[in-house]
Each structure stands twice: as structure tokens, then as C-alpha cells.
Amino acid sequence: MINIKYFGIAKEIVGNDVAFIESSTISVADLRQRMNEQYKAFKQIKGYMVAVNQEYAIDSQIINADDEVAIIPPVSGG
Amino acid sequence: MKNKINVVISEETLSIDTVYQDVHDELCGGICLFVGTVRNKNKGKNVTHLDFETYTPMALKEMNKIGQRAVDQYDIQHISIFHRSGYVGIKDIAVIIAVSSIHRDACFQACQFAIDTLKETVPIWKKEHLDDGSYWVGARP
């Protein structure tokens, strides 16, 4: 099981700030695909980044069960 | 003296003087402050307030990276970056960046670099509340 945090508009779409996916290991690219299938409204976002252990991750990175994963919609601080 | 990088995310009102004192140094001939404030209009609509959501541990890491890059790229002494979370009213301060340097050019440039990069990389989200609704800034195409 992989624990995923959501923020901003992604949190609103998912309806929760955390959700699990049933998997022990998954690439960032596959996670994106699963997210996009599960939450169709993600298509309305202007893209999002995936962070693994509080660092931006590239699509080929492999996520393991104990990793801290977050969906990062377009940031707008400042 | 060693460069100091300080980053803070606060639910409380930000104090310009605190951030200023943070970078003050007898070696320095200049301090550049950027203060980001909340305006009451955006694209012709009346803004009532903002709400900032933060992924705090990662945001602090990214803010630290900005500080480190600023120290590496510009001839500065110290840099402090303070950002608000939660409810921020009109005219209130959302962000303060202070940079000190021996000569002024470096602190101007580093301050500009820091705010521009913060807006691109730091996981903080702004929800803009209007008279007639609210939305996450920059989230939709």
C-alpha cells in the first residue's frame, strides 16, 4: 500500500488530503496513469508534479511502499 | 562570517523588522527586502482574502534550496525567506524575502531570483476568495 498526499485543487478533486493505492511498488509514470483514470477531473488541472520523499520526481522513478508521495498541482505561492 | 540561510512558514502575521534583523550584518552595505502583499483586485474581480495551503516540510526544503542557490550564485551574506500559511487578508503580507550583501547589486539580484524561483518551485498554493466564489490560482489551463 502506498500512501499519497494531495494538496490544493488535487485535494478538492480527491475529497481527502490522503489516500492509499494498493501497490507495493510503482513508477511515477504508472502512478500518474492510475491517478488520471481514477480521478477524471485531474484532466482539468494544468498538469501536476509528483514528489517522492519531499523531492520532485521524474516519471521513471520507482516508488516503494514506505515512501512519502505527494501530488503537487501547479504551485502559486508568493 | 558564514552565510546564513533562514526559512520560515508561519500562520502568524509576518514582521518586516524580524526578517530585516535576521540578515543584518556589520559587513553589509545593503539589504534588499521584497514584501509580497495581497491586493484587492485580480482580473477585475474583488478579492476578499487569500488562503495559503502549504506542504510544509517540502516547502521548507525547497526554500532552503533557493537560499543555497542564491548564496552560490550571488555575492551575498545572508538570506531569509518567510512565507505565510492560512488566512491572509487584503494588504497583509504573504511573503518577505531579505538579502544582505556587501555591495547592493548582489542583494537586488538575489532577491529577484529568490522570489521568482519561489513562485515556480515551492509547494505552496493560494486560494483566492472573491465576492462571488473562490478558486485555486494557476491550477487550471
Side-chain angles (χ1 to χ4, degrees):
Chain A
M1 213 157 60
I2 297 169
N3 198 349
I4 300 168
K5 297 172 187 285
Y6 300 92
F7 295 94
I9 196 167
K11 183 167 85 177
E12 277 187 3
I13 289 169
V14 172
N16 209 332
D17 60 359
V18 61
F20 305 93
I21 59 160
E22 293 293 339
S23 187
S24 57
T25 174
I26 190 170
S27 71
V28 168
D30 289 346
L31 175 72
R32 280 179 182 281
Q33 200 180 340
R34 262 222 233 173
M35 287 290 128
N36 297 344
E37 283 165 12
Q38 196 169 347
Y39 305 108
K40 302 290 184 203
F42 273 22
K43 287 205 185 76
Q44 295 160 21
I45 307 182
K46 198 167 69 185
Y48 59 87
M49 298 292 286
V50 175
V52 179
N53 299 327
Q54 301 170 8
E55 298 284 347
Y56 289 110
I58 56 171
D59 277 354
S60 59
Q61 189 166 336
I62 301 299
I63 299 166
N64 295 303
D66 291 336
D67 288 338
E68 179 177 323
V69 182
I71 302 298
I72 312 280
V75 301
S76 53
Chain B
M1 187 183 165
K2 197 179 177 306
N3 303 117
K4 187 174 75 186
I5 298 166
N6 190 25
V7 298
V8 172
I9 291 174
S10 171
E11 290 179 3
E12 309 293 328
T13 301
L14 299 181
S15 154
I16 292 172
D17 195 52
T18 299
V19 190
Y20 174 81
Q21 294 300 339
D22 217 27
V23 300
H24 211 188
D25 187 317
E26 63 189 3
L27 282 173
C28 293
I31 292 176
C32 188
L33 281 164
F34 174 79
V35 180
T37 55
V38 178
R39 61 179 186 270
N40 68 354
K41 290 224 185 272
N42 194 12
K43 294 168 190 160
K45 296 216 171 200
N46 292 322
V47 178
T48 59
H49 66 279
L50 303 180
D51 240 314
F52 283 101
E53 185 172 314
T54 63
Y55 180 13
T56 304
M58 182 172 170
L60 291 171
K61 275 192 187 180
E62 290 294 324
M63 287 156 74
N64 250 312
K65 283 184 198 170
I66 292 170
Q68 191 57 55
R69 284 175 63 191
V71 164
D72 292 345
Q73 290 172 28
Y74 305 97
D75 191 14
I76 62 171
Q77 280 311 116
H78 310 302
I79 176 166
S80 287
I81 306 174
F82 282 51
H83 204 293
R84 274 297 308 278
S85 61
Y87 180 106
V88 185
I90 301 303
K91 286 177 78 181
D92 287 353
I93 295 171
V95 59
I96 305 174
I97 297 175
V99 185
S100 58
S101 57
I102 296 172
H103 302 294
R104 70 183 181 283
D105 281 355
C107 66
F108 273 121
Q109 289 165 11
C111 199
Q112 171 100 51
F113 162 79
I115 185 61
D116 290 351
T117 309
L118 180 147
K119 282 174 170 282
E120 285 174 7
T121 65
V122 177
I124 295 178
W125 299 269
K126 179 190 289 166
K127 192 169 204 184
E128 193 169 88
H129 293 263
L130 307 166
D131 285 342
D132 58 352
S134 63
Y135 73 106
W136 290 102
V137 174
R140 292 178 191 277

